[in-house]
Amino acid sequence: MTDEQLIARIDEVKQSHPDNLMARHFDADYYLGLDAPLQARLRKIIASGVQNENSSMGAYAMAPDDYAQFAPLLDAMIRDFHGIEAGTPIAQPHDWDTSAVTSDLGAIDAKLKQVSMRVRVARNVASFPLPGAMSKEQRVVFEDVAAAAFAKLAENPDFGGQYLSITPGSPYEIDAAEYQRRVAAHQMFKDMSGDKYLNVAGISGDWPYGRGMYVSEAEDFLVWVGEEDHLRIMSMQTGGDLNALFARLHDGLQILGDLLPAFAMSDKYGAIASCPTNLGAGMRCSLHMKLPHLTKSGTDLTRVTTEAKSRGLAVRGAGGEHSDAGSDGLVDVSPSARLGVSEMQIMRRLYDGAAALWALETV
Ligand code: ARG
């Protein structure tokens, strides 16, 4: 594609898909003002959004310093997605002290004492390229580095467990049936090679090399290796105590942070992630709630989506990104903002949002 073709294509996407944030904020003059090596880097970053016109974001970073290097474009997209107004600096506070937040979902309604709760953070190691730009060898070397850290983590009684790899020939390799079982149990990530966004970005490259998952014995602490970010560290449990859920993640993250090479972190962008949507706290926390009334038995998410959105939450089916709701109205509810809000604030939004949706469900 020549520069003219690229610019014309993005213009076309901007007209047909105004929600594609890359197309919305792409500025041809900025692109043309870059030198050739920078233009080549930027083309890779925006390739997924150029090719997949229905992208909502439309870009993935390839290296931690891409955010600073291409700030004139990426900051505009980041502000738009994360709701940070022009004039307000982009900055990420961190605060894990959730002790002041009411955290017992059972206090909203005894029926919420046993919901499926999950919180994860994205982390990338500063010394490797981001997944879209990793070679097959780097993916496997990174997995080895992670596996060595997991061997140490496994000695901790609270986090003891095992590493499971899907890299062919890995000493930790599991078979296809075990992999499928873990995917069905919502523990392991799906085959990424079918994801058109990740494919164009190179993030799903060399599948399944360098991919795996650490799982604690209690199956309440998991770490994905080699998905959209180097690491996705998560805490999950059925219950209603958000503080316990967050505390486990925080403790596990701290231990892993000490065992691994330094994470890519920035005062401005927080935890560096492949996708600009995940910058900041890098955190996604969610509840699986049954909302049959608000979702018309899972057939229509329009109302619940609107109600959730006005409270800073996003709703999707319980089967993951782009999935539908169950016929019992089971949906996944999670705070949308990640950048500019602390971990504690995200938890508070989830709690308050869940209480508000529950009130609408049970009127
Ligand atoms: N690249 C896709 C898009 O722009 C996904 C964006 C958010 N999801 C994610 N898993 N990072 O629509």
Side-chain angles (χ1 to χ4, degrees):
M1 232 192 243
T2 64
D3 285 346
E4 288 69 30
Q5 286 167 333
L6 177 75
I7 291 164
R9 164 69 182 161
I10 295 175
D11 216 43
E12 188 184 291
V13 173
K14 184 175 171 171
Q15 303 307 322
S16 65
H17 292 79
D19 293 334
N20 180 319
L21 296 186
M22 182 282 300
R24 182 184 294 174
H25 295 287
F26 183 82
D27 175 355
D29 291 337
Y30 167 65
Y31 171 80
L32 292 170
L34 298 171
D35 65 22
L38 288 178
Q39 284 183 345
R41 272 175 68 184
L42 189 56
R43 276 175 174 252
K44 252 204 112 181
I45 294 167
I46 63 175
S48 190
V50 171
Q51 208 157 312
N52 299 296
E53 56 266 36
N54 66 346
S55 293
S56 51
M57 178 51 75
Y60 293 99
M62 298 292 144
D65 75 337
D66 282 353
Y67 288 102
Q69 178 65 56
F70 300 102
L73 170 62
L74 296 179
D75 277 8
M77 297 163 57
I78 287 165
R79 285 180 181 282
D80 196 338
F81 178 84
H82 293 279
I84 306 167
E85 277 160 42
T88 316
I90 298 174
Q92 178 58 32
H94 292 283
D95 177 8
W96 285 84
D97 183 1
T98 56
S99 56
V101 186
T102 317
S103 73
D104 176 16
L105 296 166
I108 300 171
D109 189 323
K111 285 189 185 138
L112 296 179
K113 268 191 181 137
Q114 291 298 323
V115 292
S116 157
M117 309 181 294
R118 176 183 280 248
V119 57
R120 61 89 167 149
V121 287
R123 288 292 184 274
N124 289 279
V125 160
S127 49
F128 281 81
L130 292 174
M134 284 171 106
S135 66
K136 183 174 174 183
E137 197 197 345
Q138 284 170 323
R139 295 185 201 279
V140 173
V141 170
F142 177 74
E143 186 187 23
D144 288 343
V145 169
F150 296 139
K152 294 247 171 63
L153 179 70
E155 293 166 10
N156 183 308
D158 293 332
F159 293 93
Q162 51 175 335
Y163 182 64
L164 311 173
S165 175
I166 54 171
T167 299
S170 160
Y172 305 99
E173 190 179 359
I174 53 171
D175 63 21
E178 169 78 350
Y179 169 66
Q180 287 308 334
R181 196 179 73 72
R182 299 280 179 179
V183 172
H186 300 292
Q187 291 179 347
M188 184 54 172
F189 48 100
K190 295 180 198 154
D191 184 338
M192 299 157 75
S193 61
D195 185 313
K196 60 180 186 171
Y197 305 99
L198 299 180
N199 287 347
V200 177
I203 295 175
S204 47
D206 309 309
W207 178 266
Y209 285 86
R211 273 68 177 214
M213 165 184 92
Y214 181 81
V215 55
S216 68
E217 262 147 47
E219 303 194 333
D220 55 6
F221 183 78
L222 276 74
V223 186
W224 289 358
V225 177
E227 206 241 14
E228 197 177 301
D229 293 292
H230 292 154
L231 301 168
R232 290 279 177 94
I233 304 165
M234 59 198 97
S235 167
M236 56 194 274
Q237 74 188 63
T238 301
D241 184 354
L242 286 171
N243 266 345
L245 181 81
F246 270 62
R248 184 181 316 105
L249 177 63
H250 188 220
D251 293 350
L253 176 61
Q254 213 118 35
I255 298 170
L256 277 178
D258 290 341
L259 293 170
L260 286 162
F263 295 143
M265 303 291 287
S266 141
D267 290 342
K268 180 174 174 184
Y269 301 109
I272 298 300
S274 287
C275 182
T277 62
N278 282 317
L279 291 171
M283 175 177 276
R284 182 176 194 283
C285 65
S286 67
L287 300 178
H288 282 185
M289 298 178 80
K290 274 188 195 157
L291 304 173
H293 171 63
L294 278 177
T295 64
K296 299 189 182 155
S297 303
T299 58
D300 184 359
L301 298 189
T302 318
R303 166 131 194 255
V304 73
T305 302
T306 312
E307 296 289 359
K309 202 173 173 187
S310 70
R311 292 164 178 90
L313 305 175
V315 173
R316 66 191 197 189
E321 205 170 8
H322 313 303
S323 70
D324 295 323
S327 57
D328 51 359
L330 189 70
V331 289
D332 174 299
V333 175
S334 78
S336 315
R338 322 236 192 281
L339 179 56
V341 285
S342 72
E343 294 78 4
M344 179 275 281
Q345 287 169 314
I346 292 175
M347 188 179 113
R348 172 169 289 170
R349 271 186 205 178
L350 181 64
Y351 186 89
D352 293 346
L357 290 181
W358 191 251
L360 292 171
E361 172 68 21
T362 53
V363 282

